[in-house]
Amino acid sequence: MLHWSIYLFIPLALALVAGVLILGLFNFASGGSPQRSQRLMQLRVLFQFGALVLVMITIFAMGR
């Protein structure tokens, strides 16, 4: 059985992804710096990777 804290990390990771996505979209829509939009989208991809890794670890551990 997984430790209860792992169940908190996945929603937190997904919230980080959504938050960075929204920040990037607001920056883009308001005519902000293109470099900032690009950096936020790169950060979003990094957070998505982390969220995916957490989900895969959880699925793997639940199967054991």
Side-chain angles (χ1 to χ4, degrees):
M1 186 164 146
L2 291 176
H3 191 269
W4 63 269
S5 65
I6 191 71
Y7 297 112
L8 295 177
F9 291 134
I10 293 173
L12 179 64
L14 295 177
L16 283 172
V17 170
V20 171
L21 174 64
I22 290 170
L23 283 173
L25 289 173
F26 278 140
N27 186 62
F28 178 74
S30 67
S33 168
Q35 290 84 10
R36 184 166 188 234
S37 287
Q38 182 68 23
R39 181 66 185 135
L40 287 169
M41 291 302 111
Q42 290 171 353
L43 194 57
R44 177 189 55 86
V45 171
L46 180 67
F47 285 160
Q48 278 181 311
F49 176 74
L52 180 63
V53 168
L54 282 174
V55 168
M56 294 307 292
I57 288 171
T58 303
I59 290 171
F60 177 75
M62 289 176 76
R64 294 186 128 210

